[in-house]
């Protein structure tokens, strides 16, 4: 997923926060390896790390489910006979638009499933629709159900990408379909959910990038220093849409992730000082520096900023603002951030 | 309690097969007749075997296994996943409980009362297992965490020392991953070549003609599955041992699906090592260097270099799985009490019944050889047009436990051209009624998907 420009809503991707803010947040300068890896979702380590940050978490049960989806969940729960549940699941499977054999590709395939499952999203009128196939009828039904859920949440207020990012699969367990469907690390079902989520978001990002005109972004050295840039960037970015769109430069930028980070931090936090340093080379060979996650190789950053938005806030809350601004990057190629967050009064003091 | 057991109709077994080994073999395939005679130090005396009549298996045993008496989704549990793990009889549960309650203690180097008691029980378990498989002594029995560890032990300890570039390791396409991956690793480390015996096209057993052709002076070790956990085919171990030794190769047999199911006489088998749920044996152990290092497996330890204990201790580093070994000893005794001949005879009959009923269901393919060729009781199968996991999910809701997936034999599934299979594997406490229930529910599940 290239993050050259996005249509991310200003409210940010709150559901990603549990993964973003988990991790030791003691020192600003510490390299943070938050459990961005998908498999840690809901894991014990995550829960332990987020103990002290409970107030910041968006608990899955608090995530709003659209009425239609709630109805489906309730219906399944109410049916005592598992066979009837499966019958219903199969009827969802039958309603899926067919997926021809040519689209049964590795890229579309869910890993870690005992059966073979392929999922392909497409965007129509700004919403993501799904086609899927499987050699297992029940798994196809699950894919259909997930696709339907993703479609229904897109009907909620807020933008499609945000709603899809917020969607989590916990409600499936309450439907009583089978104990084998409980989300867990090696679970094929969870992999299916995450692949669908990732593909949908990628598709929406691409759609957004194509929709917005390419604008010239002053990335690179200019962003390293002064206040001047902090003031200038929002003005530039705002011409192309609510959260900025377009590419990282007139041509193809070689540092698209950094460009995007600079732009967002500038917009959201209006810093007096902003420094975004790519430290990925120091982490080459690190498990977080895989090429597939970041085609540009930008995975580890040090960010230092002075912003009036930080005034009066404890460090933890300052970091949270940074993470909110950079949620998309953190969910994607960026594996660690080293943060130095000051308010203007801190600088004045010392 | 299982209501279905109230009127057991265990199929009458051939009484004659109880009398001697030879008679039993006469009733089975020509291949099994080539198996060597049992020695005098066999599992138990012929008299004891006679008294363990086959009618005492099946329904009559269910009282010994508490776990079987439960309902799943409101239906009585029909446990047909013994290929993955079988259940523990009361005597084994008692042995485990006694150990933990009364004399749990670390073994071998303690002088105090509890340690001595634990050590005695642990070493007695070793002897019980040795008796079960007719090993010459308990010294030939090494307890490992699982059979996988056992095979890794041989592949590393023996393999690293003896395999060179140009040497060949001969396995088969049907091996469980535990008897495949360790040899892949050993070949990668040593530069040896891995080769695979194919299946016979018509009966889906290991192809003995191909096996013979693939043997050469380059073959240094042959590692084959004695009873396939997926196909159910039974290896002619005498033939394999003879041919392997003829070319100077060592032989390892994966006996995980045979030791608990039929008489296994390791002296007669002629293998250099057999692996079966934490059990191995042979002289070869004496010449093998350590696999894992640590306490217990040493004699003298210096700062830089140590000397090692003789086998089996050499291969049992650290605190062993003491309770599990003692439990295993109790299980070996329990099986010995039933008589492995009786176990085998029961499995042949219930296995044939399962095979015939399953094959009769329209659209079902059962893998492996037909019962006339000799096979284990387990049956792996597929239903045309349905995925194995869908079928087993529906079966689970009727209380029937089968396994689905690749059963740790991915290459075998690829060889057969399938993605997955379902497997029903009965054992000594399953009954014909349970097979009937399984078939009924299978047919129901098939209709469910066809009508949906």
């Amino acid at each position: 997923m290239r993050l050259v420009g996005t249509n991310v809503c200003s409210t940010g991707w709150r559901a990603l926060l549990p993964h973003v803010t988990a991790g030791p947040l003691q020192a600003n300068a510490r390299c943070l390896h938050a459990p961005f890896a998908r498999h840690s979702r809901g894991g014990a380590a995550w829960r332990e790390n987020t103990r002290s940050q409970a107030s910041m978490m968006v608990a899955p049960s608090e995530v709003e489910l659209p009425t239609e989806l709630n109805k489906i969940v309730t219906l399944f729960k109410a049916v005592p006979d598992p066979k009837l549940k499966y019958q219903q699941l199969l009827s969802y499977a039958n309603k899926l638009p067919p997926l021809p054999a040519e689209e049964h590709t590795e890229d579309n395939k869910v890993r870690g499933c005992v059966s073979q499952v392929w999922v392909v999203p497409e965007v129509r009128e700004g919403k993501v629709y799904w086609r899927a196939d499987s050699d297992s009828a029940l798994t196809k039904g699950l894919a259909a159900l997930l696709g339907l859920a993703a479609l229904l949440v897109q009907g909620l207020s807020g933008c499609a990408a945000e709603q899809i990012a917020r969607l989590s699969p916990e409600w499936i367990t309450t439907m009583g379909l089978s104990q084998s469907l409980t989300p867990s690390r090696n679970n094929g079902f969870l992999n299916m959910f995450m692949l669908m989520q990732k593909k949908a978001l990628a598709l929406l990002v691409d759609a957004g990038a194509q929709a917005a005109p390419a604008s010239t972004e002053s990335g690179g050295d200019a962003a390293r220093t002064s206040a001047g840039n902090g003031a200038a960037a929002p003005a530039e970015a705002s011409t192309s849409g609510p959260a900025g769109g377009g590419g990282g430069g007139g041509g193809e930028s070689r540092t698209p992730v950094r460009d995007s980070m600079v732009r967002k931090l500038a917009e959201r936090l209006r810093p007096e000082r902003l420094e975004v340093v790519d430290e990925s080379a120091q982490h080459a060979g690190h498990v977080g520096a895989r090429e597939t996650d970041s085609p540009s190789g930008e995975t580890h950053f040090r960010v230092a900023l002075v912003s009036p938005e930080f005034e009066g806030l404890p460090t933890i809350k300052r970091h949270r603002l940074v993470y909110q601004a950079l949620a998309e990057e953190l969910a994607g190629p960026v594996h660690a951030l080293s943060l130095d967050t000051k308010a203007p009064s801190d600088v004045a003091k010392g | 309690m299982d209501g279905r057991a109230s009127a057991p109709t265990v199929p009458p077994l051939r009484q004659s097969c109880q009398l001697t080994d030879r008679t039993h073999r006469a009733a089975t395939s020509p291949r099994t007749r080539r198996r060597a005679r049992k020695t005098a130090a066999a599992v138990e005396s012929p008299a004891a075997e006679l008294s363990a009549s086959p009618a005492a298996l099946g329904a009559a045993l269910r009282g010994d296994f508490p776990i079987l008496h439960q309902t799943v989704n409101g239906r009585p549990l029909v446990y047909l996943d013994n290929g993955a793990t079988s259940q523990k009889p009361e005597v084994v549960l008692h042995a485990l409980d006694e150990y933990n309650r009364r004399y749990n203690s670390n073994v071998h180097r303690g002088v105090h009362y509890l340690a001595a008691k634990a050590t005695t029980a642990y070493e007695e378990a070793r002897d019980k297992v040795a008796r079960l498989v007719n090993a010459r002594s308990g010294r030939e029995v090494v307890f490992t965490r699982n059979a996988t560890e056992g095979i890794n032990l041989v592949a590393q300890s023996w393999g690293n020392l003896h395999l060179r570039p140009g040497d060949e390791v001969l396995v088969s396409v049907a091996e469980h991953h535990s008897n495949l991956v360790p040899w892949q690793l050993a070949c990668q480390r040593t530069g040896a070549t891995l080769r695979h015996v194919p299946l016979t096209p018509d009966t889906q057993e290991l192809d003995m003609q191909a096996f013979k052709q693939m043997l050469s002076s380059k073959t240094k070790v042959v590692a084959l599955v004695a009873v396939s956990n997926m196909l159910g085919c039974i290896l002619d171990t005498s033939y394999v041992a003879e041919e392997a030794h003829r070319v100077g190769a060592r032989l390892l047999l994966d006996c995980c699906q045979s030791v608990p199911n039929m008489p296994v006489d390791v002296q007669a088998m002629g293998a250099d090592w057999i692996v079966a749920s934490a059990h191995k044996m042979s002289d070869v152990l004496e010449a093998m260097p350590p696999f894992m290092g640590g306490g217990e497996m040493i004699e003298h330890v210096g700062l830089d270099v140590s000397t090692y204990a003789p086998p089996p201790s050499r291969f049992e580093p650290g605190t062993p799985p003491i309770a599990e070994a003692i439990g295993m000893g109790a299980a070996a005794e329990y099986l010995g009490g039933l008589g492995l001949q009786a176990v085998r005879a029961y499995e042949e009959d219930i296995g044939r019944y399962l095979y015939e009923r399953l094959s009769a269901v329209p659209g079902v393919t059962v893998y492996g050889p037909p019962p006339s060729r000799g096979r284990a009781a387990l049956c792996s199968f597929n239903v045309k047009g349905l995925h194995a996991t869908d079928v087993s999910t529906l079966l689970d809701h009727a209380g029937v436990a089968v396994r689905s997936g690749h059963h740790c034999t991915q290459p075998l599934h690829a060889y057969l051209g399938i993605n997955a299979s379902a497997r029903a594997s009965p054992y000594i406490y399953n009954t014909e009624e349970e097979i009937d229930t399984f078939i009924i529910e299978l047919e129901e599940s098939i209709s469910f998907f066809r009508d949906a």
Side-chain angles (χ1 to χ4, degrees):
Chain A
M1 183 156 88
R2 305 269 317 169
L3 293 171
V4 288
T6 69
N7 255 339
V8 176
C9 310
S10 55
T11 45
W13 295 16
R14 284 200 297 280
L16 292 174
L17 267 186
H19 315 284
V20 165
T21 54
L25 290 181
Q26 297 93 310
N28 284 351
R30 189 136 159 198
C31 193
L32 289 153
H33 295 272
F36 303 122
R38 304 291 191 234
H39 69 257
S40 70
R41 182 189 286 242
W46 167 63
R47 278 193 279 277
E48 200 189 281
N49 284 331
T50 57
R51 243 187 358 248
S52 59
Q53 301 156 43
S55 58
M56 294 200 273
M57 291 304 111
V58 177
S61 56
E62 292 168 20
V63 172
E64 173 194 350
L65 281 188
T67 323
E68 279 306 311
L69 187 55
N70 251 326
K71 273 197 212 156
I72 294 174
V73 172
T74 313
L75 175 77
F76 269 89
K77 253 196 326 212
V79 168
D81 181 4
K83 269 196 173 162
L84 287 178
K85 293 194 217 248
Y86 288 136
Q87 232 160 33
Q88 187 61 23
L89 200 60
L90 291 184
S91 74
Y92 283 117
N94 291 335
K95 292 199 193 107
L96 266 179
L99 191 71
E102 310 87 77
E103 295 191 76
H104 293 192
T105 62
E106 277 309 301
D107 194 49
N108 294 336
K109 200 169 183 184
V110 176
R111 299 244 179 278
C113 254
V114 181
S115 52
Q116 300 187 91
V117 194
W118 302 270
V119 293
V120 178
E122 58 187 16
V123 176
R124 297 204 296 272
E125 294 132 25
K127 282 194 182 176
V128 179
Y129 292 81
W130 288 96
R131 288 174 305 138
D133 204 357
S134 174
D135 53 1
S136 156
L138 293 177
T139 312
K140 191 170 168 185
L142 283 176
L145 200 55
L146 284 177
L148 180 61
L151 187 63
L152 291 172
V153 296
Q154 290 174 74
L156 294 174
S157 63
C159 71
E162 178 187 342
Q163 293 301 345
I164 290 181
R166 286 165 66 107
L167 182 64
S168 77
E170 273 84 1
W171 43 267
I172 279 271
T173 59
T174 66
M175 289 162 79
L177 281 166
S178 166
Q179 59 269 39
S180 64
L181 300 184
T182 321
S184 70
R185 267 167 78 137
N186 294 317
N187 188 263
F189 169 73
L190 190 60
N191 291 346
M192 178 161 65
F193 169 77
M194 291 195 297
L195 183 67
M196 289 172 81
Q197 197 178 42
K198 179 174 163 183
K199 277 172 125 32
L201 293 173
L203 205 61
L204 288 170
V205 162
D206 285 344
Q210 281 155 31
S215 69
T216 310
E217 162 65 58
S218 57
D221 291 335
R224 259 183 220 275
T225 51
S226 69
N229 189 65
E236 275 178 350
S238 62
T239 54
S240 37
E252 192 76 24
S253 165
R254 283 188 303 128
T255 58
V257 177
R258 189 180 168 281
D259 299 341
S260 161
M261 288 169 67
V262 164
R263 190 181 59 244
K264 288 178 187 174
L265 288 171
E267 278 164 38
R268 299 284 304 273
L269 300 173
R270 305 187 180 276
E272 291 172 5
R273 302 285 308 266
L274 173 62
E275 213 179 301
V276 177
V277 180
D278 185 344
E279 294 191 323
S280 308
Q282 296 170 25
H283 297 272
H286 187 284
V287 68
R290 283 192 307 272
E291 230 251 326
T292 45
D293 285 350
S294 179
S296 63
E298 298 173 273
T299 55
H300 293 68
F301 286 91
R302 179 163 54 81
V303 174
L305 61 163
V306 180
S307 162
E309 304 282 322
F310 294 149
E311 218 45 85
L313 291 183
T315 308
I316 276 178
K317 293 205 171 156
R318 295 179 184 187
H319 287 197
R320 186 193 178 203
L321 289 177
V322 175
Y323 292 135
Q324 270 179 321
L326 300 178
E328 187 186 15
E329 283 81 358
L330 287 162
V334 176
H335 282 260
L337 278 186
S338 172
L339 294 186
D340 184 337
T341 51
K342 291 191 166 58
S345 55
D346 300 331
V347 177
K349 270 186 279 181
Chain B
M1 286 296 288
D2 179 7
R4 290 171 199 273
S6 57
T9 53
V10 175
L13 297 175
R14 294 170 295 278
Q15 290 298 320
S16 60
C17 76
Q18 298 300 109
L19 295 175
T20 65
D21 229 31
R22 277 187 218 274
T23 319
H24 170 67
R25 286 196 298 276
T28 59
S29 74
R31 208 196 16 229
T32 57
R33 277 188 230 124
R34 280 207 290 263
R35 229 181 266 158
R37 290 184 307 282
K38 267 189 174 173
T39 64
V43 172
E44 73 266 354
S45 69
E49 268 204 35
L50 272 177
S51 65
S53 93
L57 300 186
L61 283 185
R62 292 179 74 85
D64 290 350
F65 295 85
I67 199 172
L68 297 177
H69 310 291
Q70 60 179 289
T71 57
V72 170
N73 295 311
R75 310 282 298 274
L77 169 66
V78 173
Y79 185 77
L80 292 175
D81 192 21
N82 294 286
T85 195
S86 57
Q87 303 303 348
K88 297 178 173 60
E90 195 62 67
V91 287
V92 170
L93 298 172
H94 181 73
L96 288 166
D97 193 51
E98 273 293 291
Y99 167 76
N100 282 309
R101 253 181 232 284
R102 298 287 176 80
Y103 61 98
N104 170 61
S105 194
N106 209 332
V107 296
H108 293 139
R109 290 190 192 272
V111 199
H112 59 85
Y113 174 73
L114 290 185
K117 194 157 177 196
T119 303
T120 305
Y122 181 76
E123 293 303 328
E124 269 175 5
R126 196 189 298 278
D127 291 333
K128 288 174 189 174
V129 171
R131 275 199 290 283
L132 181 73
V133 297
N134 196 34
R136 279 177 306 201
S137 79
R139 280 197 307 281
E140 294 187 337
V141 175
V142 177
F143 285 129
T144 58
R145 203 173 84 243
N146 48 35
T148 303
E149 185 179 305
I151 300 177
N152 275 282
L153 194 164
V154 174
Q156 284 204 36
S157 166
W158 186 92
N160 287 354
L161 209 54
H162 293 96
L163 293 176
R164 305 259 183 288
D167 288 344
E168 290 185 355
V169 174
L170 190 54
V171 295
S172 82
V173 296
E175 297 307 316
H176 187 283
H177 296 164
S178 66
N179 198 27
L180 193 54
V181 182
W183 298 111
Q184 291 171 350
L185 294 173
C187 289
Q188 282 163 27
R189 273 196 306 271
T190 61
T193 310
L194 192 60
R195 301 192 63 198
H196 308 78
V197 177
L199 301 183
T200 56
D202 47 345
T203 55
Q204 289 180 348
E205 306 169 276
L206 267 57
D207 188 335
M208 288 292 99
Q209 281 183 347
F211 163 69
K212 171 95 193 220
Q213 274 161 17
M214 291 168 89
L215 280 175
S216 74
S217 55
K218 292 194 269 189
T219 316
K220 292 293 175 277
V221 60
V222 174
L224 295 176
V225 62
V227 174
S228 165
N229 71 313
M230 192 266 177
L231 299 167
C233 57
I234 300 178
L235 192 67
D236 188 343
T237 52
S238 311
Y239 178 75
V240 167
E242 212 178 295
E243 294 302 316
H245 290 140
R246 192 200 302 281
V247 300
R250 294 281 188 189
L251 174 63
L252 179 144
L253 289 173
D254 171 3
C255 293
C256 289
Q257 299 286 340
S258 56
V259 164
N261 308 75
M262 57 189 68
V264 167
D265 182 341
V266 294
Q267 292 190 56
M269 246 176 176
D272 296 279
W273 311 273
I274 81 163
V275 177
S277 301
H279 157 255
K280 294 162 55 242
M281 50 82 63
S282 132
D283 285 343
V284 185
L285 287 183
E286 194 56 58
M288 283 164 58
F291 168 49
M292 298 204 295
E296 304 283 347
M297 51 75 68
I298 42 80
E299 259 179 15
H300 170 78
V301 183
L303 282 177
D304 297 304
V305 80
S306 302
T307 60
Y308 307 113
S313 305
R314 185 185 305 164
F315 304 108
E316 294 184 0
T319 299
I322 304 168
E324 288 79 358
I326 291 171
M328 189 185 193
E333 266 183 336
Y334 180 82
L335 280 181
L338 296 178
L340 284 176
Q341 293 283 28
V343 170
R344 175 60 191 148
Y346 188 77
E347 284 209 359
E348 274 184 332
D349 282 323
I350 202 169
R352 178 178 299 110
Y353 187 68
L354 172 63
Y355 186 94
E356 283 165 3
R357 291 230 52 197
L358 201 46
S359 308
V361 177
V364 167
T365 306
V366 183
Y367 301 102
S372 57
R373 299 278 302 160
R375 58 174 292 147
L378 60 90
C379 287
S380 301
F381 66 96
N382 263 312
V383 182
K384 190 170 162 64
L386 294 183
H387 195 277
T389 310
D390 286 347
V391 170
S392 35
T393 304
L394 264 289
L395 284 170
D396 172 55
H397 278 280
V400 178
V402 299
R403 186 150 294 254
S404 71
H406 52 65
H407 315 298
C408 290
T409 52
Q410 280 186 32
L412 177 56
H413 280 74
Y415 185 91
L416 294 170
I418 54 180
N419 278 313
S421 59
R423 182 186 67 188
S425 42
Y427 196 37
I428 51 180
Y429 36 69
N430 293 114
T431 63
E432 268 193 6
E433 281 91 347
E434 289 187 303
I435 305 292
D436 292 337
T437 303
F438 161 60
I439 296 294
I440 289 169
E441 294 304 334
L442 177 63
E443 286 168 339
E444 287 260 342
S445 308
I446 296 172
S447 322
F448 175 83
F449 284 105
R450 295 236 164 104
D451 300 341

